[in-house]
Amino acid sequence: MRPILQLLLIFSFFLSATSVTFRCTAFAICQGMIGYVSPNTTSLYSIIELLGLEEVYSLLAANSWPTEDTDRSIPAESTVRIPFPGFCSNGTGISNRTPVYTVKKGDPGLDYIARTIFGEFVTYQDIAAVNKISDPNLILIGQKLWIPLPCSCDDVDAAMVVHYGHVVDNGSSVSQIAGEFGTTEATLMGLNNETLSDPNNLQAGQILDVPIKACNVSTVSSLLVPIGSYALTANNCVRCSCNLNDLGLKCMRAHEVPVTNWARCPPTQCGNLSLGESVNLTTCLRTTCDYAGYNERRILMHK
């Protein structure tokens, strides 16, 4: 049986009702993000190990931190954006086989992991369902657990977005959160109407589906960059960010990041222009060197 079909069967028949549900209108694969609140002072690598993430640069990119800031300290109670791949089916979405949590000595059960480690982004029933665990209190040290975080792949207000799981701070309001993330109160209420019917009932610790506007490359459908983040692509040779003013994707050659799959980065030139550069040839004609994806041998660009 193909892996994606297995995922759909698990999703359809085993996923229980969740405390945090992000709606999807059709089957799709996309990227999701949550705002993980660190309970203690920690490091990037500790978060990577805790959440079973693959590498530090995706975490730096999601939070728009410098690529050289790999030793960054994370203060207690601060929020770290955690990116992950997700998929949607049957009206809701979850993370796609990630993150993977390794059971530690002293973990009393799935409810502790859901509440304490993952801040109630999931319930113990969610974890038990996707991992086919019949007894949520019977887990083993070293056991690998897929944590099904909430996500969605839907556009919002006819615009591409990344759906972000936001933990409400004490004293926050719906209008304040909407302003912080560049959306509207009506949009937030519409996305979260199953758990938030009245903006005056917003509670600290509640998790909201917040749409963050994003940019993409029309020729690279898998590259979607939310505002407030950047993305490393083309085997870490290209860095792209989203311009808030016009939602245009700005890409340039990446520096000081280990290259993957290639021995070195291919050239990033459009004639006399470097990737990301532009020039006005006349008062009404502008030439740019824009990113258009990559293949096995080279980085694709167009003027």
Side-chain angles (χ1 to χ4, degrees):
M1 184 179 294
R2 288 183 292 181
I4 190 64
L5 183 56
Q6 291 177 321
L7 285 174
L8 291 175
L9 289 174
I10 291 172
F11 192 89
S12 300
F13 297 109
F14 291 98
L15 186 61
S16 61
T18 65
S19 57
V20 183
T21 301
F22 290 2
R23 295 191 301 270
C24 295
T25 57
F27 172 73
I29 297 174
C30 63
Q31 65 187 81
M33 188 181 290
I34 64 166
Y36 173 77
V37 180
S38 175
N40 305 300
T41 298
T42 186
S43 67
L44 288 181
Y45 285 104
S46 293
I47 290 178
I48 288 172
E49 180 181 3
L50 177 70
L51 300 181
L53 303 176
E54 291 186 0
E55 47 94 21
V56 69
Y57 292 103
S58 62
L59 203 55
L60 292 171
N63 292 275
S64 201
W65 291 330
T67 53
E68 64 271 18
D69 206 2
T70 55
D71 293 328
R72 188 182 189 93
S73 177
I74 308 299
E77 303 302 322
S78 61
T79 299
V80 180
R81 291 185 175 189
I82 306 296
F84 56 86
F87 73 100
C88 296
S89 180
N90 294 329
T92 56
I94 59 173
S95 55
N96 195 346
R97 294 287 186 182
T98 187
V100 175
Y101 176 75
T102 303
V103 176
K104 308 291 192 300
K105 183 178 181 180
D107 289 343
L110 295 186
D111 188 59
Y112 170 84
I113 293 171
R115 292 179 182 274
T116 305
I117 305 299
F118 289 93
E120 299 188 23
F121 277 103
V122 294
T123 66
Y124 76 87
Q125 294 98 328
D126 301 333
I127 301 173
V130 299
N131 291 281
K132 301 182 181 180
I133 296 174
S134 57
D135 185 348
N137 295 311
L138 185 59
I139 54 176
L140 303 174
I141 296 173
Q143 186 175 353
K144 305 289 185 182
L145 299 174
W146 166 23
I147 308 298
L149 299 174
C151 70
S152 176
C153 300
D154 287 359
D155 290 349
V156 174
D157 298 332
M160 293 179 297
V161 301
V162 169
H163 289 258
Y164 174 69
H166 172 70
V167 181
V168 175
D169 291 327
N170 188 33
S172 292
S173 67
V174 174
S175 60
Q176 176 262 318
I177 295 170
E180 178 183 350
F181 289 97
T183 187
T184 66
E185 183 173 339
T187 296
L188 284 184
M189 295 299 297
L191 284 174
N192 298 278
N193 61 6
E194 294 181 2
T195 56
L196 183 64
S197 58
D198 184 344
N200 296 317
N201 291 335
L202 187 67
Q203 302 292 322
Q206 190 171 359
I207 297 169
L208 298 181
D209 178 357
V210 177
I212 301 180
K213 294 178 181 177
C215 305
N216 82 332
V217 177
S218 59
T219 54
V220 191
S221 59
S222 61
L223 182 62
L224 187 64
V225 185
I227 291 171
S229 301
Y230 61 85
L232 294 171
T233 183
N235 295 321
N236 286 352
C237 290
V238 175
R239 171 173 169 163
C240 299
S241 58
C242 186
N243 189 314
L244 175 61
N245 295 326
D246 61 4
L247 292 181
L249 198 65
K250 177 72 172 180
C251 298
M252 59 188 65
R253 192 180 182 98
H255 298 284
E256 299 180 358
V257 183
V259 179
T260 60
N261 298 321
W262 287 332
R264 63 182 65 85
C265 291
T268 52
Q269 298 287 130
C270 300
N272 294 327
L273 294 179
S274 297
L275 180 63
E277 287 186 336
S278 62
V279 61
N280 287 321
L281 301 179
T282 68
T283 56
C284 59
L285 180 63
R286 182 180 179 183
T287 298
T288 62
C289 185
D290 292 327
Y291 178 66
Y294 70 101
N295 58 30
E296 294 180 356
R297 296 183 178 181
R298 64 191 183 97
I299 296 171
L300 308 177
M301 291 160 290
H302 62 80
K303 292 186 178 181

